Amino acid sequence: QVQLVESGGGSVQAGGSLRLSCAAFGYSYSGSWVGWFRQAPGKEREGVACIYTAGDITTYADSVKGRFTISQDNAKNTVYLQMNSLKPEDTAMYYCAADWRVGVGCLFPDVYKYWGQGTQVTVSS
């Protein structure tokens, strides 16, 4: 049974930082696509960042470029999202997702099969 488990969310003030983790169980990130998504109340789920673990290829949404960094730790089978210079508009539930067959369009949620349960990020002004 595949499980993706997010952690690291919390409440911070604007300008602060958080690091989210997405640990996989029953699933190997090796050679896989992993994405981070977020969804604010009343809004659609949007892609934030994604990584192809085999080539360490990363893609970012324009709204987070230069502030967020996605990375992987193969030994821990975990993908991270380092979030710096956080803004109130970054407030959302953050989810990780994984699949082996994503390819181009890794910021689109519909291409992923496996999802975590989410972790809340709240940024106050």
Side-chain angles (χ1 to χ4, degrees):
Q1 182 179 357
V2 175
Q3 267 192 310
L4 304 182
V5 180
E6 301 101 332
S7 60
S11 297
V12 296
Q13 291 191 326
S17 298
L18 284 173
R19 189 178 79 156
L20 305 184
S21 300
C22 179
F25 302 91
Y27 182 95
S28 172
Y29 280 146
S30 179
S32 173
W33 293 85
V34 182
W36 281 100
F37 297 81
R38 65 187 181 188
Q39 189 167 19
K43 295 188 176 182
E44 292 187 355
R45 190 169 296 191
E46 63 169 341
V48 173
C50 51
I51 185 169
Y52 178 55
T53 61
D56 210 21
I57 298 168
T58 58
T59 302
Y60 296 92
D62 288 343
S63 59
V64 306
K65 278 181 182 176
R67 300 189 298 124
F68 291 11
T69 303
I70 188 171
S71 62
Q72 58 176 315
D73 185 329
N74 290 330
K76 295 183 178 179
N77 206 32
T78 299
V79 170
Y80 303 97
L81 184 69
Q82 178 67 43
M83 306 186 296
N84 298 328
S85 302
L86 282 162
K87 304 175 181 180
E89 51 263 45
D90 294 319
T91 295
M93 184 71 79
Y94 282 71
Y95 301 88
C96 65
D99 204 314
W100 289 291
R101 302 160 296 179
V102 170
V104 175
C106 64
L107 290 179
F108 290 95
D110 291 348
V111 300
Y112 289 88
K113 179 176 181 179
Y114 302 109
W115 287 84
Q117 81 290 349
T119 185
Q120 178 67 38
V121 171
T122 303
V123 185
S124 58
S125 58

